[in-house]
Amino acid sequence: MSLTEPEVPGTIDAVPVRHPGRVVAVIITLVVTAMLVHQLFVNPAFDWPFTFEAMTQQPVIDGYIKGTLLVTVAAMVFGVLLGILLAVMRMSPNFVLRWIAGVYIWFFRGMPRYVLLAILGGAGAFFAGGLIVIGVPYDEQILSLLGIHGTLRIGTIDANVLFSSYAGAVLGLGLSEAAYMAEIARSGILSVDKGQTEAALALGMSRSQTMRRIVLPQAMRVIVPPTGNETIAMFKDTSLLSALPLAGEMYFQLHSIGTAYYKLVPVLIAATIYYLATATVMGIGQSWLERHFGRGYANGTTPTRGQAKAASATSGETPLMFPGSDH
Amino acid sequence: MAERSESEVIVKARNVHKSFGDLEVLKGVDLTVHHGEVVVLLGPSGSGKTTLLRLINQMETLTGGRIWVDDELIGYEERGGRLYVRTDKDIARQRSYVGMVFQRFNLFPHKTALENITEGQLVVTKKSKADAIFRARDLLQQVGLSEKESAYPAQLSGGQQQRVAIARALAMDPDLMLFDEPTSALDPELVGEVLTVMKTLASEGVTMIVVTHEMSFAREVADWVVFMDGGVIVEEGPPAEVIDNPKEERTRTFLRRVLKP
């Protein structure tokens, strides 16, 4: 070969396209961020010593553990269990059960939690003398049919005490949560391919075995991400418990300190720190759960139709099909 | 008519009707399957052959007629001249005697190949874990997938998934195996491995009802071929008659289409 071709290098060294708009955007963003961070240190409204003092007050810590964390856990457990029950009722062949579940979900999804809690706090007015009577329903009528005058009652509970306690908080938030969880559980169950149920039934498994061992474990992949969002939303919504009012709750306690000392900004910052730190830890827990229930799906080579459908349902952070995760 | 197996009857379907809303899919079908027989259901799509198969395993409920499996009326119980719907528990028991293989495999994606095969044994027949695993490994070896026992379905090819699905159904020791177009969802090069497993089962005397379009399988393996069209049985007999020498014009038209070289 007489003419030598120019040697082609094995690596590429090219001048990249400039993006001046992007550079301007970065500069503006950095300047604004710097201003905000600077304010954290120089603005006297951020009374950091007071903030940390407020955070470490015993009533605040107690309120965080009982009123914020424990109420979140208890309300979610209550909401998830009632939600699954409602989801099963919604899919029941029986019209009455389907309808009642539908009305329940309609009511509690339409009610703002703050208003719901305020009503619950004043619910003593619905009971004669503020007392909830426990016994056989329509006892006087039933007994009078038998020709007896009397009642079949076990005892009474003071409604005002009950509803403004932790029990009232769990009840109010849990009832509301169940409506959202019902829709999440239902869409999770519906996301599992019908062929899975058929395969399990064909082996001779019962309906409940099929649901427990085959359908629900697969539905969990769709149920866990929005339920994690629900839990984080629930823990933030414990700040609404002042509507009851529930005094043994962190935000209520911090707010009281702030108004007593005329230093509202530092206590709000204290609440912010608690909420952000907790949400971060919860987010880590959620991604662990998602990995656990995603077994058998990673590195999928030939996913079946059902798997592909379920996978696409969980690919977004919050799938649009869950109207429950928007509060 | 050619001579047919005289052995014990496993499936007896009489005057079977099935409608989905206004659509009548089966219009009075009679079918008899003897112990150890391989019966192939042929016919164009929409002819009702898959519906007939699904009725035998109660994936659908009958609109009319009766089906007996192992001399037991399925779905209903007859007492004092009246039919009583069977309980879910009783229906589950009846299903456990019949193995089913689906077009889309329907393996449990959250369980490994081995766990797919042990699931029914553990939950339905309540075998010990050791016994279930022993049987599952034996079956995996039979379908040539011993080295894949800890693979999840998503890590297996379609042909491998279908072979695991066959093993899963066999693990229940069924009296009868139903195959619903078992190779229709497979890439052409994977069809052979599934058909090979099915041929082995046939040679071992497993009673099988197969819905398929694989004419070579039907000709080679079937003892009895049933050709359906429009919700009725048009013609039935040994493959040498129905496939190679059909009497009915509709059968000839269908075969010309599927056998076209």
Side-chain angles (χ1 to χ4, degrees), chain A residues 39-88:
Chain A
Q39 285 299 310
L40 288 179
F41 293 100
V42 298
N43 194 321
F46 292 104
D47 188 341
W48 292 106
F50 190 84
T51 299
F52 293 120
E53 210 186 326
M55 282 179 76
T56 50
Q57 293 302 305
Q58 199 55 45
V60 173
I61 292 170
D62 285 350
Y64 174 71
I65 291 168
K66 288 189 205 152
T68 307
L69 291 186
L70 285 182
V71 167
T72 300
V73 171
M76 280 310 291
V77 169
F78 182 61
V80 167
L81 292 180
L82 185 58
I84 289 173
L85 180 69
L86 285 165
V88 173

Side-chain angles (χ1 to χ4, degrees), chain A residues 196 198 201 213 301-302 307, chain B residues 54 107 109 119 123 154 156:
Chain A
Q196 292 292 311
E198 288 190 350
L201 292 177
R213 298 191 57 96
T301 46
T302 51
Q307 289 171 12
Chain B
R54 289 168 60 81
L107 286 183
E119 182 70 8
V123 178
L156 298 172

Side-chain angles (χ1 to χ4, degrees), chain B residues 7-176:
Chain B
S7 64
E8 171 198 359
V9 171
I10 298 282
V11 178
K12 190 167 82 173
R14 292 295 176 265
N15 197 24
V16 167
H17 285 74
K18 175 65 187 175
S19 303
F20 295 100
D22 291 337
L23 181 70
E24 195 175 22
V25 178
L26 292 176
K27 303 167 181 169
V29 170
D30 292 352
L31 180 76
T32 306
V33 179
H34 298 87
H35 185 266
E37 250 181 351
V38 177
V39 172
V40 168
L41 303 182
L42 293 179
S45 62
S47 59
K49 52 198 192 311
T50 289
T51 304
L52 179 58
L53 201 70
R54 289 168 60 81
L55 282 168
I56 294 170
N57 205 17
Q58 306 187 57
M59 292 290 124
E60 313 285 351
T61 50
L62 282 167
T63 321
R66 308 260 167 105
I67 299 176
W68 292 263
V69 174
D70 295 329
D71 278 330
E72 196 179 56
L73 188 61
I74 62 160
Y76 303 92
E77 209 173 353
E78 203 158 15
R79 272 182 273 131
R82 248 185 92 45
L83 279 188
Y84 293 87
V85 176
R86 284 186 191 269
T87 61
D88 286 353
K89 196 179 160 196
D90 212 18
I91 289 172
R93 176 185 61 79
Q94 291 189 323
R95 282 190 182 122
S96 72
Y97 304 149
V98 180
M100 186 149 191
V101 175
F102 300 86
Q103 186 179 350
R104 302 229 27 120
F105 332 135
N106 295 348
L107 286 183
F108 306 132
H110 59 305
K111 294 185 181 291
T112 63
L114 191 81
E115 288 166 349
N116 264 277
I117 306 172
T118 55
E119 182 70 8
Q121 304 182 67
L122 296 173
V123 178
V124 179
T125 39
K126 313 276 186 209
K127 279 200 223 171
S128 76
K129 195 155 188 189
D131 286 352
I133 290 175
F134 184 81
R135 176 89 170 109
R137 291 210 167 115
D138 185 41
L139 285 163
L140 274 175
Q141 199 192 344
Q142 279 185 44
V143 299
L145 289 171
S146 287
E147 75 285 7
K148 295 288 188 188
E149 69 167 54
S150 50
Y152 284 98
Q155 296 161 332
L156 298 172
S157 75
Q160 291 169 334
Q161 288 190 58
Q162 194 60 299
R163 286 189 277 156
V164 173
I166 293 171
R168 174 176 70 178
L170 288 172
M172 305 305 292
D173 298 315
D175 298 332
L176 166 73

Side-chain angles (χ1 to χ4, degrees), chain B residues 178-193:
Chain B
L178 307 175
F179 292 83
D180 182 12
E181 304 202 22
T183 57
S184 298
L186 296 175
D187 291 338
E189 79 271 20
L190 303 176
V191 168
E193 61 190 68

Side-chain angles (χ1 to χ4, degrees), chain A residues 96-266:
Chain A
V96 177
L97 294 180
R98 266 203 322 270
W99 187 80
I100 288 176
V103 169
Y104 180 99
I105 292 166
W106 163 81
F107 178 81
F108 281 99
R109 287 215 319 200
M111 279 297 280
R113 281 189 179 163
Y114 190 84
V115 178
L116 183 69
L117 291 168
I119 292 174
L120 197 61
F126 292 112
F127 298 93
L131 292 178
I132 302 170
V133 182
I134 298 169
V136 178
Y138 300 108
D139 51 348
E140 284 178 56
Q141 289 87 338
I142 292 170
L143 287 177
S144 72
L145 280 178
L146 301 171
I148 307 166
H149 280 287
T151 56
L152 291 170
R153 285 166 196 188
I154 300 164
T156 59
I157 300 173
D158 187 325
N160 293 310
V161 172
L162 175 74
F163 290 138
S164 59
S165 69
Y166 289 113
V170 171
L171 187 68
L173 291 174
L175 286 174
S176 166
E177 186 56 39
Y180 295 97
M181 282 311 303
E183 292 296 271
I184 291 171
R186 194 168 72 103
S187 52
I189 290 167
L190 291 177
S191 77
V192 179
D193 191 81
K194 221 175 116 249
Q196 292 292 311
T197 305
E198 288 190 350
L201 292 177
L203 287 176
M205 288 167 75
S206 70
R207 292 236 157 243
S208 70
Q209 285 169 338
T210 301
M211 183 55 83
R212 274 200 328 272
R213 298 191 57 96
I214 304 301
V215 176
L216 277 182
Q218 295 181 61
M220 288 308 276
R221 289 179 58 248
V222 174
I223 292 174
V224 164
T227 304
N229 291 341
E230 288 294 307
T231 309
I232 292 170
M234 171 62 76
F235 127 82
K236 289 185 290 183
D237 281 354
T238 55
S239 62
L240 301 175
L241 290 171
S242 53
L244 266 178
L246 178 70
E249 181 270 316
M250 177 189 75
Y251 181 74
F252 186 98
Q253 287 296 328
L254 280 172
H255 199 268
S256 314
I257 295 173
T259 45
Y261 291 90
Y262 301 106
K263 284 186 172 177
L264 214 47
V265 172

